[in-house]
Structure formats: structure tokens, C-alpha cells
Amino acid sequence: MEFFVQILINGLNIGFLYGLAAMGFVMIFKSSSVLNFAHGELLAFGAFFFLTLVSAAKLPLPVAFMGALALCFALGFVVERIFLRPLIGEPLIYVIMLTVGLASIFKGLMLLVWGGNLYMFPPILPAKLSITFAGITIPPVYLLSTSIGILFLIFFGLFFKYSSQGIYMRSVADNQSAALSLGVHVRRVFALSWAIAALVAGMSGIVLGIINGVNVHDLSSIGLKVFPVVILGGLDSIGGAILGGVIIGLLESFTGGYLSASLKDVVPYMALIVILIIRPYGLFGLVEIERV
Amino acid sequence: MNDKPLLQVNNISVVYADVIQVLKGVSLAVKRHQIVSLLGSNGAGKTTSLKAISGLLKPENGKVTEGTILYNGDNIQNKAPEDITRKGIIQVLEGRQPFKYLTIEENLRVGTATRWGKPYREDLDMIYEYFPALVPRRKSMAGYCSGGELQMLVMGRALMAHPDLLLLDEPSLGLAPLVVKEIFKIIKQINEEQGTTIILVEQNANMALQIAHFGYVMENGKIVMEGESKELKENPDVKDFYLGMGTRGDTNSYRDVKAYKRRKRWL
Ligand SMILES: Nc1ncnc2c1ncn2[C@@H]1O[C@H](COP(=O)(O)OP(=O)(O)O)[C@@H](O)[C@H]1O
Ligand SMILES: [Mg+2]
């Protein structure tokens, strides 16, 4: 029973982080219909920025965290400006191929700068912050990552629901030509969605790095895990991305715990195939509103 | 005030995808504070003319290849829609295109994009005054509105931008006659109370000429007739082909069409 609960908690936590990463992916897809194959690399960048700021620059943790997020935000913005903007209006497949290319470039860059090693963080949070309850221990990093994740969700939820910029962003996702006709700066919206997506991905990367260690290959491969997550959740649903993430996280964690660690990485894709057969639009895909 | 037209379209040609020529030398002049109606049958090039003015040709791979468009004395042909909207030209697209997954009020707020950061509460109140039917629906998703409500919504959304020149593309399309009447009444009201200059594209020539000051008739990418609304309403060709009140019997007969085409050459 204790084992079960421990695995449940692990799964929920990791899954929540997958969900956050996928949320950024969905955001880019919703605003510009681009599938970003370099998403895992954005995640890895977040972790490496944080690692560098913590261990090389020796900044205090909260400062390093905010700094890494700011760098991710800037990175997303710059990537859109330099690489994606020239391709606006070109066939989508070009843009998607571009992100595939970007993934290789990013990975190469990270290998060049940080190498392919696995870096472990020194225990960042004092162990006495962990919660022990009925023989189950919840490590502090889980508590922290979940709280930060929830704060992010609330913040972006409010941003998209109430702020004018958030509403402009949603309008572009909804009907681009109508948004253009009202003077919404569509290119700025694209840039902003890349920046926010990179920031959210970076934050999942930082936390996953703290939990599992920082390694280019491991973190980038989470970019592939985003696919079962968003297909499960429906490509266009941000809430679905979170739920999809949690489900994939649980599947992984239970497979790893009860079956075998080597199956852990296969099961999400098996789930993906089954789901695509049963529900081609994902479990939580937006129901198309018919014109009245 | 200023006697010069607010908008002057001089002999423009528009080509889509570098090869499909749709407008062939269109000229229009729109005076300040007037409603100018652009009439014509399907495929005449009305929508293309509006998009040439608002800059929305660009995303459709269309281009003004000849001629000029002057707005307030500035050349605006082939400028980006972000720039043109910020000069005060807002187009209401054909076919009522709401943001389906946004609420009515959120849809209206998108209309503030050209003046982001400025207060907009009073403008919302003004829109709800023009379109009281929207008030009880302000929190519901636009995708679930009726056609009449949607037309009000997209017009209200455009008004949120404080346009000097409003381009309306077939607002009456597919609406019940009573709703059409209401919509046209409001268009006239907006023109009179806000001083908004309006280009009204319509196939419903009868209604359009009732509220417009001036009218143009378009065929095959060319302007074939123009005049004060009063004159156009009395013109036998307009009566025959756009007002559906033929003076020569059955207006739809092939013989009449041929006669019309013959006469049109002289226009
Ligand atoms: N994006 C486009 N690409 C190619 N041809 C187009 C495009 N949009 C419109 N056309 C063509 O231009 C002509 C005029 O269309 P349009 O301006 O929509 O006319 P109207 O609004 O008067 O019905 C039509 O023959 C139409 O097929
Ligand atoms: Mg049209």
C-alpha cells in the first residue's frame, strides 16, 4: 500500500510536469498551428540555464530560478523572430521541418557548451521540509514543483482569461483573419506564444532536472513524450494537456513500479496508439462549434 | 471641414497569386461622414476592393499591382493590416466571423487591439447601447449566437476600435428581413451619431441605397455605374438588375440580360 501511494505520488508529480511542458506545446500549436519538434530542447535549455546560474554563477536559488525563466522567455522570443517569422505564410510543413532542424541545432549547441554528462544538483532543499505521513515520504522538491506548477497555471489562466494581451492571443488562435481585421498584431502574438511556451517548458525542465538530474539526451527526449500527452489531451486543449500529462505520468510510474523499468518508456506510446484508435481527436479535444 | 475625400482609390488593379487578375482599374472616392454603397453581384470584386483598402489582401496572397489608394492623403496600398487598422480603417468581414470560443464581451475587447492599454469600459457601454440584444449574452460563447446577434457583435467589435472609416461587407447576407431592417437602422445611426465614414458592400441594393449617400455598381472587376443614391434608385438598369422591380417585365430573361450588357457598354 505504501509502495502504491509512493508510486501514485511520483506519477502525479512527474505527470504534472509533463503536462506543463505540453501546455507550452499546445500554446504554440493553438496560436500558429505549428507543431514544435524542438520542444524538448527548450526544456533542456531551461535546466541548463538554471544549472549554470546555480553552480557557475553561484546565484541564490530563487534568483537563479527567475533568471533561468527570463532567459527561456527571451530564447523563445528570439527563436520566433529569427527562425519562424520569415516562414509566416509558407506551407506549414516547411515550418515543421524547420523545428526539426532547430531541435538538432539546439541539441548540438548544448552538447558543445555543457557536454553529454549527467549533472546532479546538490540537494537543493533541506530534507526536513519533506512531509512524512503514514510511512510515505513526499520529498520537498515534489511539493515545491507542484506548488510552482499550480502558481503558473493560475497565473496564465488569469492572463488568458482577463488580460487584453491574453484575449488578443486567444483571438488569433480562434480566427486569424478576423483578428487581423481588427488590428491584432498577429506576429507579436506568435512571438509572445513562443516566449511563454519556452518559459513554461523551461520551468518543467528545471524541476525535472532537479528530480532526475540534468542530461541533454534525457531532457530532450521529453519533447517526444509531449506527443502522447497532447494527443491524449487533444491538441487544442490546455486543460487537456495537463490531464494528459498526469495520465502519461501515472502510466509511466506504475509501469516502472510494477512491471519493469524498461517498459516505462514504451507504455506511453502504446497508450497513444490505443487512444488514437478509439478517440482520434484525443480525450479532451475541443468540440467544434457548428455555425448557427 | 475638409472637402477632400477621406479615401481615394485611383484606378487600382488587384492580382491574386501573381496571376489571377480580379480588379481591373477600380476608382472610388469616399467623402468624410458619408455612407457609400458598393453594389454588384457575386464575384464582381466587392470583397476584393475592401480588402485592398484594409490591407487584408496580403495574407491571401493578393496585391495591388497598379494604381494608388490614398487615405487622408497617405498612400496605403499594400501596407500591412496592422498599420492600416492603426490609421483608423476597420473592415467587418463577410460572413460574420466571430471568435467562436470567446465570449461576446471578450470578442468586443479584441476590438481594442489598435489602442491597447487605453480604457475601454465606456466603449463597451456604448456598444451595448447600440446593440442591447448583446447585453444578456455578454458572458456566453459567441459560437452559440444567432446570425443577427453575430452581425451585431462583429459590427460592435469593429466600433470598439473607434474607426474613422468602417468597411462593411454584406451585413445583410442570410438574415431575416426584420433583422436586416434593424441592422441597417443601426448602421445609419452610427454614421450620424459617431460621424463614421462607411463603405457598405451589399447585394441588397434596395436597403443599401436607402441609407447610403452615394453608390457604385461593380461588375467583373470594374465600376460600371456611379451616382447619388437618389439617381441610382431611379436608374432603369439598377431597377432591373439590383432592385428586382423591372420596368420591362420579366427581369431574368436572357433577352433582358443581353440588352443590359449592350447598354452597359455605353456606361
Ligand atoms: N484569394 C483569392 N484567390 C484567387 N481568387 C480570388 C480570391 N478571392 C477572390 N477571388 C476571385 O475574385 C473574384 C471576385 O471575388 P470577390 O472580391 O470575393 O467578389 P464579391 O465580393 O463581389 O462577391 C472572384 O472571381 C473570386 O473567385
Ligand atoms: Mg464578397
Side-chain angles (χ1 to χ4, degrees), chain A residues 161 168 170 174 187 292, chain B residues 82 101 106 109 112 145:
Chain A
K161 183 69 194 156
Y168 302 155
R170 280 160 60 213
D174 197 310
R187 285 167 299 168
V292 259
Chain B
E82 298 91 276
Y101 299 101
E106 288 167 347
R109 283 184 60 187
T112 63
C145 288

Side-chain angles (χ1 to χ4, degrees), chain A residues 88-221:
Chain A
I88 289 180
E90 300 294 333
L92 225 67
I93 185 72
Y94 295 7
V95 189
I96 291 169
M97 288 319 288
L98 170 93
T99 69
V100 173
L102 274 179
S104 305
I105 296 175
F106 286 167
K107 209 162 169 181
L109 263 177
M110 285 185 277
L111 281 168
L112 210 65
V113 179
W114 291 288
N117 302 336
L118 176 67
Y119 298 90
M120 296 306 284
F121 284 100
I124 282 181
L125 300 163
K128 65 172 189 292
L129 279 183
S130 61
I131 292 180
T132 305
F133 180 78
I136 298 147
T137 306
I138 306 177
V141 68
Y142 281 20
L143 293 173
L144 191 73
S145 66
T146 305
S147 343
I148 293 175
I150 288 171
L151 278 179
F152 264 61
L153 279 184
I154 292 173
F155 175 79
F156 283 111
L158 293 174
F159 171 77
F160 282 113
K161 183 69 194 156
Y162 296 108
S163 80
S164 291
Q165 277 307 332
I167 290 176
Y168 302 155
M169 289 182 77
R170 280 160 60 213
S171 82
V172 171
D174 197 310
N175 185 335
Q176 195 172 315
S177 31
L180 269 174
S181 78
L182 292 164
V184 175
H185 210 302
V186 170
R187 285 167 299 168
R188 189 178 299 154
V189 165
F190 288 169
L192 204 54
S193 30
W194 274 83
I196 295 177
L199 182 151
V200 179
M203 117 93 202
S204 332
I206 294 171
V207 178
L208 284 165
I210 297 174
I211 297 174
N212 295 330
V214 182
N215 170 269
V216 180
H217 304 289
D218 291 351
L219 284 169
S220 317
S221 74

Side-chain angles (χ1 to χ4, degrees), chain B residues 47 94 169-170:
Chain B
T47 298
E94 190 174 11
D169 201 348
E170 305 215 24

Side-chain angles (χ1 to χ4, degrees), chain B residues 180-198:
Chain B
V180 173
K181 239 180 129 178
E182 168 81 11
I183 298 276
F184 274 74
K185 197 185 90 196
I186 299 172
I187 294 173
K188 187 155 185 268
Q189 227 180 327
I190 289 167
N191 165 256
E192 285 169 356
E193 296 171 8
Q194 309 287 321
T196 313
T197 312
I198 295 173

